[in-house]
Amino acid sequence: MSDAVRVLVVEDEALIASFVEDALSDGGFQACSVHSGEEAMSTFCDGREGCRVLLTDINLGDGITGWELARQIREITPDFPVLYMTSASTPDWESQSVGGSVLIQKPFAPAQLAAAVSQLLGGATSPG
């Protein structure tokens, strides 16, 4: 499993983070979970985790939002794949999201999440 695509998961609710980790694992991916946008930036900039996709909740409590996190990561790596997840309505999707990103509405099935990540990667890893 060491060759699995690593996904940087940013979710401030532990139960949802655990569900997402399991869904990604079932889909053939490996999750690297953090609980805030600031932690995500630190992990991304550190680079040791080798994450190839950002999967972020939009509302992350105090601190930067998922929208802002994605913009900051795209300033460093312009084509970095971004997948947003939210349970809120998404009227800001077109104005706030980074180009070429995908949004998945909570609640979602594990297979939907794996399919969305695969879609972002151009089908490089098919959901299992």
Side-chain angles (χ1 to χ4, degrees):
M1 187 119 188
S2 61
D3 61 345
V5 171
R6 292 183 58 83
V7 178
L8 179 55
V9 177
V10 191
E11 172 57 65
D12 58 336
E13 295 183 39
L15 286 174
I16 296 172
S18 179
F19 170 82
V20 167
E21 290 167 9
D22 290 345
L24 288 170
S25 179
D26 291 349
F29 300 100
Q30 189 173 17
C32 172
S33 293
V34 296
H35 303 290
S36 73
E38 290 77 11
E39 279 183 272
M41 276 309 297
S42 178
T43 300
F44 178 80
C45 290
D46 183 39
R48 285 186 298 187
E49 298 296 335
C51 295
R52 292 191 34 217
V53 178
L54 171 66
L55 170 59
T56 184
D57 191 12
I58 293 171
N59 299 311
L60 295 169
D62 296 335
I64 66 173
T65 65
W67 301 128
E68 182 59 29
L69 172 62
R71 283 191 289 271
Q72 288 180 19
I73 285 177
R74 284 284 184 87
E75 286 175 11
I76 298 165
T77 307
D79 59 348
F80 201 79
V82 174
L83 175 61
Y84 299 101
M85 56 184 168
T86 187
S87 57
S89 66
T90 55
D92 295 334
W93 166 241
E94 290 198 23
S95 65
Q96 295 290 320
S97 66
V98 295
S101 59
V102 172
L103 182 132
I104 188 167
Q105 195 79 31
K106 295 177 190 173
F108 47 78
Q112 288 176 294
L113 182 59
V117 173
S118 292
Q119 174 190 340
L120 269 175
L121 294 171
T125 305
S126 57

